[in-house]
Amino acid sequence: MLFGRKKKNPIKIADKGVAEWKYATCGYCSVGCAIEVGVNKDGEPVTTRGVGSADVNRGKLCIKGLTEAQIFKASGRGAEPRVRSKIFEDWQETSWDTALDKTAEEFKRIQAKYGRDSVAVVSTGQIFTEEFYTLGKLVRGVIGTNNYDGNTTLCMASAVSGYKRSFGSDGPPGCYGDFEHTDCLLAFGSNLTEQHPIIYWRLKEALEKRKFPVIVVDPRVTMFAQFADMHLPITPGTDLVLLNALAHVILDEGLQDEEYIKRSCNGYEDFKELVAQYDPVTASKICGIDEDTIRNVARLYANAGAAMSIWTMGINQSTHGSDGVCAINNLNLITGNIGKPGGTSLSITGQCNAMGTREWSSCSGLPGYRALENPAHREEIGKFWGVDPEFFPKKRGLFQTDIFPAIETGQIKALWIIATNPLTSMPNSARIRKTMEKLEFCVVQDSYEDVETAQYAHVYLPASIWAEKTGCFTNTERRVNLTRPIVKPYGNSKPDQWIFNQLAKRWEQGQKMNFPEETSDVFEEMKLLSKGEGRTLDITGMSHEIIEKKRGVQWPMREGDEEGTPRLYTDGVFQFPDGKAKLLSLPYVENNELPDDDYPFWLNSGRVVEHFHTRTRTGKVGNCNKFSPTPYMEMNPDAAEELGIEHMSYVRLVSRRGDAVVMVQLTQRVPYNMVFIPFHFHDCVNRLSLGLLDPHSRQPAFKQCSVRIEYTDQKEAARLNAEMRAF
Ligand SMILES: Nc1nc2c(c(=O)[nH]1)N[C@H]1C(S)=C(S)[C@@H](COP(=O)(O)OP(=O)(O)OC[C@H]3O[C@@H](n4cnc5c(=O)[nH]c(N)nc54)[C@H](O)[C@@H]3O)O[C@H]1N2
Ligand SMILES: Nc1nc2c(c(=O)[nH]1)N[C@H]1C(S)=C(S)[C@@H](COP(=O)(O)OP(=O)(O)OC[C@H]3O[C@@H](n4cnc5c(=O)[nH]c(N)nc54)[C@H](O)[C@@H]3O)O[C@H]1N2
Ligand code: SF4
Ligand SMILES: [Mo]
């Protein structure tokens, strides 16, 4: 007898004519899925599939990975370098030599006239680690400006700063495998289901084998929140209060791991005094989570054999982002949940190589987690590169979010933008536009020439994308994985590594230094710098070949090691000189733009699964774009009814910075006094956002601003929206 499915026609997958499968790491997000791109007999990429033997994704991919073969030849790819003497004038196609000569000449001219730091460099989390290392060498050792940072200031800066303040070093201590050992998972401001679908799938797999409570803290009822056992709809920007209150209950009820605290932590006495002020009753009035829930969660977490916390942008993008991260670390330290299977404090990172830039780009210091502030590090790197250590600045320069104001005030005159699109992704875009107009010279290096920021460039450099070149990304769990060239670079575009090397040659100092051509040689050079007693970031046991064979390896992997290392701080010894972590006392200060009579709605922003950031890629992939082709906002139906606003109608949003027109999607996902807008669309949510900065990490509070909703002419709005769609 035949049963159910067998009777039906099996699903037929169209034969795409794959002649060969080629190995890479997905170029979108920090999950780090191992992917194979299928190319046909003419060498054209036609499809992708997940790699079954890769520990990260075990054969799976999300919608972006599944459609990634389409991005190589998507519209808007840059094929030739371009120059022009004034912004907004017509571009002229030119040779690489002319474009690079002009770039070097302008940098030199401006530095000679206004000083070395008048040239700023803003990079990314989306090029290879070897490319980051080379860029750092060029900027720190040759060009010599201290105003060098990346878009990671919009993204992971609070996590970096929090790890450093708590543990003495950056580097997420846990791994995805922790889901298989944990007895309680607490997730703050992370919509894992949509933003890291394959990590979410790993979590689901773990839960199928063994049930444990999942608690999601998010003001929205995200897909992740729907799936959780408990959802804590926190008042925006107040996670620190909740975290202090959780610690209060744990200490009050004696649930802490006293032995671990004594052995591995400093600052306990002050910490006790501070959290004593955050009793659940007082805290609940600020963070909006009732006192019993606070007590329950505290008990669940502290009594679990192993408990772990994960977080993403709901924490990092806040005026207390860095403090929020430290408070999560505090919670894990007092319960002894660091470095043990299932017990960790794991920042879920963002871009495919958000980690690589932290490790090796020299953005915030010198390569391999070295600091400009440390004379021994300056000496060591100076010697290694052949640069006078006196050439290096003695402390880090401006963050990305301080570079733009410094252009506004005239301290910075030239800007080099690499693989990021600040015109769409920075808060308060009207101000960014005005700021960019003040530049004497701007160069944009991007794989797509239609990237909005190029409107303000004098030189455009077309970069090869992801699997047109070779190199490594590091994922959320410190796993280094390799990408091989699957197709030839598009048009006359060049790998970022090549561009950096060619530019270096245009300085005398650059000619004296070693800039290897092959990224595998760059990797070997980085290995030499990763060697050393007590270094966590040790990759001496890796090579491109080993990484590919193992489908990714987690650092540290020391010379002679057979495998990478899944967890850090397993011995309870941290990276401060006395080996102890810091319990930090973190008072909450209210400083957000709160809703009021004039601007009565919280403006929250974030992402959706089908789009990646400013849509230079997913906006052109039919199967991604069709799900959300136009700017829209989630709004609560009760609030809409009161204002007489209908589903799918257009409204004009107004903040103290500007306005934006969006289509209304009515949904109970957002509370009555909040709207949520995916930030993927140009001239949309960031025209409205304020972006107050975290004092430690300088990361903007993208998710906590206020707006009012106004009616708008429906026909005019529809026309505007159609324009948005027309890529
Ligand atoms: N599909 C897709 N995946 C991506 C990306 C993408 O663009 N598209 N981008 C990648 C990158 S670079 C990043 S950084 C990650 C981001 O990944 P996530 O941080 O998970 O994504 P977001 O949607 O920005 O924000 C997550 C949640 O924070 C919540 N939130 C807002 N305010 C608060 C608050 O005060 N407290 C708390 N607890 N939560 C709050 C929001 O309601 C939102 O649901 O995603 C990565 N993955
Ligand atoms: N309102 C609001 N704003 C936000 C956020 C939010 O949640 N809300 N999130 C913030 C966060 S977390 C992030 S990470 C930022 C992201 O903001 P951006 O970094 O500005 O966004 P992307 O679209 O990822 O820009 C990356 C660019 O790099 C190009 N590119 C890709 N690969 C390569 C390559 O190999 N070489 C070169 N040269 N170019 C390449 C792409 O074409 C693209 O133009 O946005 C931030 N802005
Ligand atoms: S989860 Fe991230 S790394 Fe994996 S396929 Fe999707 S976008 Fe790529
Ligand atoms: Mo990000």
Side-chain angles (χ1 to χ4, degrees), residues 88-267:
F88 306 141
E89 277 182 0
D90 286 345
W91 284 107
Q92 268 130 40
E93 236 172 68
T94 189
S95 67
W96 272 102
D97 272 341
T98 313
L100 293 172
D101 284 346
K102 176 158 172 151
T103 303
E105 275 161 24
E106 283 293 280
F107 284 175
K108 285 180 196 170
R109 178 186 69 77
I110 285 167
Q111 283 190 311
K113 189 162 168 196
Y114 303 104
R116 267 165 53 179
D117 291 341
S118 63
V119 170
V121 183
V122 172
S123 109
T124 182
Q126 297 177 44
I127 57 177
F128 292 129
T129 310
E130 297 85 345
E131 297 177 324
F132 278 129
Y133 172 76
T134 305
L135 174 64
K137 199 195 269 186
L138 172 62
V139 174
R140 294 268 178 233
V142 179
I143 301 176
T145 172
N146 199 14
N147 293 325
Y148 164 44
D149 196 32
N151 67 357
T152 38
T153 289
L154 311 181
C155 181
M156 301 317 304
S158 295
V160 174
S161 138
Y163 274 142
K164 284 186 183 166
R165 289 167 70 204
S166 296
F167 304 148
S169 171
D170 186 18
C175 60
Y176 307 155
D178 282 321
F179 294 139
E180 274 140 48
H181 302 277
T182 198
D183 299 302
C184 182
L185 174 72
L186 190 48
F188 292 89
S190 153
N191 187 9
L192 202 68
T193 322
E194 290 199 64
Q195 268 56 265
H196 301 90
I198 301 301
I199 304 186
Y200 173 73
W201 170 75
R202 289 281 303 266
L203 170 62
K204 291 267 282 185
E205 283 248 304
L207 279 163
E208 271 166 28
K209 288 188 207 140
R210 201 175 41 87
K211 181 68 194 134
F212 53 88
V214 174
I215 305 155
V216 169
V217 184
D218 195 307
R220 276 169 81 220
V221 194
T222 57
M223 243 192 256
F224 193 19
Q226 275 175 282
F227 152 82
D229 298 290
M230 280 173 101
H231 172 218
L232 276 48
I234 193 155
T235 302
T238 64
D239 298 76
L240 180 58
V241 176
L242 172 65
L243 280 152
N244 279 343
L246 293 174
H248 175 103
V249 175
I250 290 169
L251 297 186
D252 194 45
E253 300 188 3
L255 306 175
Q256 71 275 27
D257 187 338
E258 201 71 33
E259 201 190 309
Y260 187 86
I261 299 172
K262 293 253 154 67
R263 192 165 30 104
S264 293
C265 304
N266 285 319

Side-chain angles (χ1 to χ4, degrees), residues 314-331:
I315 291 286
N316 289 356
Q317 290 172 347
S318 134
T319 49
H320 66 262
S322 175
D323 282 358
V325 173
C326 295
I328 293 174
N329 295 339
N330 283 342
L331 177 68

Side-chain angles (χ1 to χ4, degrees), residues 26-33 61-65 68 196-198:
C26 177
Y28 281 115
C29 91
S30 65
V31 176
C33 296
L61 293 175
C62 81
I63 182 171
K64 294 179 296 307
E68 212 161 355
H196 301 90
I198 301 301

Side-chain angles (χ1 to χ4, degrees), residues 374-391:
N374 184 328
H377 290 174
R378 294 198 301 269
E379 192 71 31
E380 187 188 2
I381 297 298
K383 233 190 215 152
F384 190 82
W385 282 349
V387 175
D388 178 358
E390 283 304 309
F391 188 68

Side-chain angles (χ1 to χ4, degrees), residues 692-709:
L692 290 173
L693 300 179
D694 177 281
H696 297 276
S697 66
R698 311 302 287 159
Q699 182 158 351
F702 280 112
K703 291 176 165 35
Q704 291 99 28
C705 321
S706 62
V707 286
R708 69 166 172 262
I709 302 172

